[in-house]
Amino acid sequence: MGQNAVVTQRNGSRVRVVVLGGGPGGYEAALVAARLGADVTVVDRDGLGGAAVLTDVVPSKTLIATAEVMTLVDGAAELGVRLAPSHDGDRRAQGVSVDLGAVNRRVKALARAQSADIRTRLEAEGVRLVQGTGSLDGPNRVQVLAADGTVSALDVDTTLVAVGARPRAMDDAMPDGERILSWTQLYDLDALPERLVVVGSGVTGAEFASAYDALGSDVVLVSSRDRVLPGEDADAAAVLEAVFARRGLTVLSRSRAQTVRRTADGVLVTLADGRTVEGSHCLMAVGSIPNTAGLGLEAAGVTLSASGHIEVDRVSRTSARGIYAAGDCTGVLALASVAAMQGRIAMYHSLGDAVAPLDLRTVGANVFTAPEIAAVGWTQNEIEAGDVRARTVKLPLATNPRAKMQGVHDGFVKLFCGARSQEVLGGVVVAPRASELIFPVTLAVAQRLTVDDVASALTIYPSLSGSIAEAARRLHNA
Ligand SMILES: Cc1cc2nc3c(=O)[nH]c(=O)nc-3n(C[C@H](O)[C@H](O)[C@H](O)COP(=O)(O)OP(=O)(O)OC[C@H]3O[C@@H](n4cnc5c(N)ncnc54)[C@H](O)[C@@H]3O)c2cc1C
């Protein structure tokens, strides 16, 4: 079935699709369904674009864009750039500082504009938009509670639940929006926190710790684990920890935060072993919980996991016929790109178009720290555990000519290939803008290219991507 095919039922009426949630899982699906000719309604509670656009991806990456400028400023002296003289290299004394109020106004304006663009696009494609809180009333009906308390109902043939997730809160560390903050509350600050204690060293905690350090805050990262980024490549995490240490960012590892309290002029974080950490502000980044409670899911026959996530298969089907789910509420992989793909797949499947099941091996993921950490495919952990037979090459960026010119000292390119097949199985790039550099590796994994295929494509000289081709050449010779 091609684009603009009109999806009809036996009685000749168009298939009625209702999408709960207007984030990437929901709106991308709605666009696909509309193009396939379905009668599509999106019910959204908090704003089109979802948390991805309004509080999570877009705001954080916009803030990080400013942090990147400050990181470049920090490295500028090595490249011969002279700012106003300062004996100790202090940035404020050199006349460089961040106006967080201005940064956050830009962040919020950009997020609003992106949300408005998504609304325009959905309307242009003929998608009906309903603002309110949706829930299932059995398998073929959706109820919507509007902000003014009125309730309406929609009859449905196919439902997609894409209601996302929200920050997990701890009873003894409740965000107050002023000093103890969830990541959604950071953009109301109009002055840089003097000393920011970040609780949680997963991707979100590491990204904000790195960003606020670059912006000029004194940062303490409280990590319950042995190292930061426990879910990422261990060599990559080691590079980041070394950079953090060099920049003066304190990491308290094996330190579990138990309570966070307001003090007269800041916060006091008490760790499980009794130690305390003082700060002006505390950011809680201890994970997310799915927005699946009270939606009538179980009554409609949808199975939830113990964590409250909706169980789905690789074409986004739930256990209930006609009900699909996508994005963070499924707990498959909390990425906007994956949410969008799950949503599209759900619509292709339910509306009878050609569909390839979700393949997580080809999903590239990036941690937007300085340097960035990007990865795709099989991991070193899996290789070492014997899950796949692979050969590995790791090239430090310090030997790359472009890196030398740019004053890039930290990072590496790591590539994995099948021990016999020579196919590229995965890789890790730790570098500034690694998010842009990982794409050739993603392409190689997705298209099952061999290391010789990758090595035979010419890279620009000098370029950081030259290290990816060089790693592929080394794997040929290894
Ligand atoms: C700080 C941070 C940074 C991130 N950065 C990145 C990144 O750089 N790249 C990346 O790929 N991913 C990133 N992520 C992950 C990304 O934000 C999520 O994977 C993505 O938002 C998931 O999209 P979604 O559609 O499932 O849900 P959401 O974006 O959360 O959207 C869900 C929508 O559903 C609505 N909703 C909820 N309940 C109801 C209801 N009952 N009825 C109607 N509507 C409802 C909500 O209002 C919301 O609009 C980041 C996450 C965080 C926390």
Side-chain angles (χ1 to χ4, degrees), residues 333 335 337-338 341 358-365 375-377 442 445:
L333 189 55
L335 285 176
S337 51
V338 172
M341 187 53 86
L358 183 70
D359 180 5
L360 293 179
R361 287 275 170 229
T362 61
V363 174
V376 65
T442 305
V445 172

Side-chain angles (χ1 to χ4, degrees), residues 21 23-25 44-46 50-52 57 61 134 163-164 183 295 327-328 334-336:
D44 185 69
R45 193 184 58 195
D46 300 318
V57 189
K61 266 76 257 187
V163 290
W183 61 76
L295 290 189
D328 284 10
L335 285 176

